[in-house]
Amino acid sequence: MNLTAFIVLLFHLLIFISDGRALGQATSTGSRPLFESLILSSEDYTKRSEYDSASSKLREALQLALHANAKRRVVLCYDKLAEISQLVGKINEMNRFDSLALPMVKQLRDTAFLINVYNRQGIRFIETGKHKEAENYLGLALALGLENEGSVKTAEVYSNLGSMYLGKGEKDKALEHFLRALRLYENNSSEKGMGETYSNISSLYYLLGKIDEAIRYQLKSIEVRRKLDDKRGLANTNINIGQLYLIKGDFLLSLGHLQEAVKCAEQSRNGRMIGAAFSALSAYYSRTKNFQEALRWQTKGITVFEEIDDKQMLSRMYVSAGNLANADGDSAEAIGYYQKGLRLATSMDNKENIANAYDKISSFYSARRHFEHAYFNHKKYVAYRDSILEKSNLAKITEIRTLYETEKKDSEITRLNTLQQLKQLQIEKQRAEIAGNLLEAQRKQAEIELLSAEKQLQDEELEKQSLINKNKAQQLAIAQKESQLTDNQLENQKGIRNLLLALFAFFLLAGFTWFNRFKLQKKIQQQADLLAIRNSISKNLHDEIGSTLTSINILSNVSQKALYSNPQQAQEMLGKIVGQSKTVQEKMSDIVWAIRPENEKMESLVTRIREYAAQTLEALDIDIEISFDQELNDQDLPLQTRKELLLICKEAISNIAKHANASKVAISINKNRHTLEMKINDNGQWKGEGTGTGTKSMMDRAMQLGGSLSIIPGDFGTQVAIQIPLI
């Protein structure tokens, strides 16, 4: 590189450093066309089911919108990202985007966006079995004027309400909402919605026990979805019809549809659907007694649901996998899956899944004659089962009370009827006596005595029944008190839980505030660090390179004048120019290396030191040994730290090459808690007290980094020890 080209390169480098911020500001203007282009690209990718690419484009658009502080564009990005997350079955990620969008949506008062958020939240709560919350959010979506629109979105909300009612077991309401949705989809010519609704109606008929009717609707759904090439919908429908054929015992048709479901699910890239397809195929192999293959597919399904973090499904699938491993004779794997399912169900406080896990574990130990473990787990199962049956027990209490009240009234009616008959007989006897009919009067007296004896027996029976009823009433009172105590305990637990949630929310808010403050302070510090780095680079360029360039310029002028009058002097001057140019090149190389972000790892510094040591010492036949603590491999080093450390090492190695007369050099770099320790040892001779310019420069550089440098001479060589704190 000639001198003129080098100076031009240096000039451009200075412009790049000083004008970086201006360049960044220029690129932020005119972002709207780019934003719209990114949105259109994401929509194209979504239509082709390339969800990763669509999400990537939306995230780019989101950064532009956030930078421009354009709230409506930000909300649009969050809405579309949430929609994609729903499509691929990442419900938690969908909820995160909706949570970010909701405050801005309310601020903008945008009804369309708010309907989308409420609808997706309804879907989220349906997925987690929280039907009351789902009904609330879907009702809010309809209340925003959607019910009167009769649009595809209205139909979608009705369909989701149908699914929610189906989950609650209210089949009549489910069918009503599915049919409403179907009519609106037909009115709006939405074949995709029609295909989904056919599948939902099929699920309803399945629950009613009408398998053939359920299959008929699934076939209608498949016909529509194949026409639309709806891979996600086809995956879901093939799973459903495959299970229906499995119930009918038609294994060939079942396997065909389930294999098609796996293929379509994988093409749709929907994690939830892929996991469901794997699980359905596992159920097929379990039904056909191929437990090893069933476990293989169940394990694949578990892996998918672990990736999307669907704890609700996983808590059940772990237990199912345990059943399959148990059937296949793998006891260790079976109990491992049971325990994982139990831990997950317990963490979510899902009593049904907890009870199921304890029941399977109890059966597992009982089959192996480990009766102590079996009994312990059975007790746990009974306790959770009883808590689940608590509501039905309350219903039984109400039924007993009703029977008691009815029985009591029936006895009272019988008693009153007997008294009425006695009064009537007394009257008839008196009439017979007045008429002089003694025979009739005697007959009536006999009936009175017989009925009186019967009444006495009834009274005794009534008293006995009354005692029994009192006993029942006491039992009812005790049961009600127990129920009340249970309710009180639940209320107390609920109060404690709400208090803990409030405290958690408070600490979360405080943490969020602190985190934002911390990020702001960090950003300010980063800006200050960047300014300091720029000043440092500028100073280095001026001090270390500027003076050398001045010297080169002077030497060039002198050598030019002496070229003819004193060729020997000119040759010496040119030699000095070559040496100083090499020095400038090395210093520039060091500065450029230090500021490049890919060199921020400790590993890059070690590589740079190794290169310089090899270049400097191997030519002198000096052996080099470098040891490096692997724990430091990914340690980040600030720009100033890696620059100064490199220069210290280069100075030390240069001193060894020039003065030590050594045959071996060992460099070790280790981490001692929060300190970086570097030692450079040679087996040469000590040449002074360490007061030279190079030594002082090394010590100053170490002090600038908040560390220390010491030179320790010995009988077998010299050691340069550096200690630098790690941030």
Side-chain angles (χ1 to χ4, degrees), residues 246-280:
L246 191 61
I247 291 169
K248 286 193 71 175
D250 195 333
F251 297 128
L252 188 61
L253 280 174
S254 174
L255 180 60
H257 280 289
L258 293 176
Q259 287 173 337
E260 182 69 16
V262 170
K263 179 181 175 182
C264 292
E266 288 176 336
Q267 289 174 348
S268 76
R269 302 181 186 179
N270 183 303
R272 181 180 293 273
M273 201 58 65
I274 293 169
F278 289 165
S279 182

Side-chain angles (χ1 to χ4, degrees), residues 430-447:
Q430 289 174 2
R431 285 176 182 171
E433 288 177 344
I434 291 169
N437 192 346
L438 295 178
L439 185 61
E440 181 65 18
Q442 287 176 355
R443 191 172 67 80
K444 293 295 180 183
Q445 178 62 33
E447 287 182 10

Side-chain angles (χ1 to χ4, degrees), residues 98-111:
D98 279 341
S99 299
L100 290 169
L102 190 56
M104 285 185 280
V105 170
K106 289 181 177 178
Q107 189 177 356
L108 293 170
R109 298 182 180 179
D110 193 306
T111 304

Side-chain angles (χ1 to χ4, degrees), residues 49 66 99 137 149 160 174 179 196 228 234 258 286 348 385 390 394 425 447 633 647 692 694:
S49 299
L66 288 169
S99 299
Y137 273 104
E149 285 184 8
N160 291 333
L179 292 176
E196 184 173 344
L228 297 172
L234 280 170
L258 293 176
S286 177
M348 295 186 298
R385 181 199 61 189
E390 183 178 345
L394 290 174
L425 286 171
E447 287 182 10
N633 210 28
L647 293 177

Side-chain angles (χ1 to χ4, degrees), residues 27-40:
T27 56
S28 67
T29 61
S31 62
R32 188 178 185 87
L34 178 58
F35 175 85
E36 291 174 352
S37 173
L38 289 168
I39 293 295
L40 288 173

